[in-house]
Amino acid sequence: ARFVLEVASDDDDDEGDEGWRCAGACVVEDSCAVRGREGARNGMMRSVVVDDAMRRRGHGAALVRRATALALAEWDVVTVWCENGLVKFYESCGYVYEPAKGRRYAEDDEAVLRATRDSVRDARGISTGG
């Protein structure tokens, strides 16, 4: 299974254009990487993008939270790889940082975070139906 989710905004942009526009999008798809979660069905969130002009307005968080809720209806775990600077953002969306086992990450390496129904249950704005 695979789905693409877009978030739109009717906010005016910096150039004064009015009307709806795509603020961001992401792809969530099946992943065979179930490290340490025997039998768990795992989805991978990829390509989370938000238009530069639409950042800092909550669109990215809304996109990730909604995509996560939809994904957890399909999969047991949703994994995201991100730059270390985005760890706090994903944690605010209900993801849990998972340190690498057996190696140390360099400062510029990517981080791995995972979301489950339990990890997002208390995150503001997420309903996973479970």
Side-chain angles (χ1 to χ4, degrees), residues 82-85 103-111:
C82 68
E83 297 173 8
N84 284 325
R103 80 174 188 109
R104 301 182 87 166
Y105 275 106
E107 191 170 311
D108 59 347
D109 275 347
E110 292 182 323

Side-chain angles (χ1 to χ4, degrees), residues 34-38 81 96-105 110-112 114:
V34 294
R35 287 189 323 209
R37 290 173 172 34
E38 188 175 323
W81 289 71
V96 177
Y97 175 72
E98 212 171 83
K101 294 182 176 116
R103 80 174 188 109
R104 301 182 87 166
Y105 275 106
E110 292 182 323
V112 178
R114 300 191 195 280

Side-chain angles (χ1 to χ4, degrees), residues 9-21:
S9 174
D10 63 355
D11 294 342
D12 293 343
D13 69 11
D14 295 338
E15 299 169 3
D17 294 336
E18 294 184 28
W20 288 93
R21 64 184 278 185

Side-chain angles (χ1 to χ4, degrees), residues 59-130:
H59 298 307
L63 174 67
V64 169
R65 286 182 177 136
R66 183 66 181 140
T68 301
L70 291 170
L72 288 173
E74 178 77 23
W75 297 290
D76 300 315
V77 179
V78 180
T79 302
V80 65
W81 289 71
C82 68
E83 297 173 8
N84 284 325
L86 294 172
V87 168
K88 287 187 187 296
F89 167 76
Y90 283 102
E91 286 177 335
S92 75
C93 295
Y95 283 76
V96 177
Y97 175 72
E98 212 171 83
K101 294 182 176 116
R103 80 174 188 109
R104 301 182 87 166
Y105 275 106
E107 191 170 311
D108 59 347
D109 275 347
E110 292 182 323
V112 178
L113 293 97
R114 300 191 195 280
T116 63
R117 289 174 190 89
D118 289 338
S119 74
V120 298
R121 188 167 284 131
D122 296 328
R124 190 181 77 199
I126 299 178
S127 172
T128 61

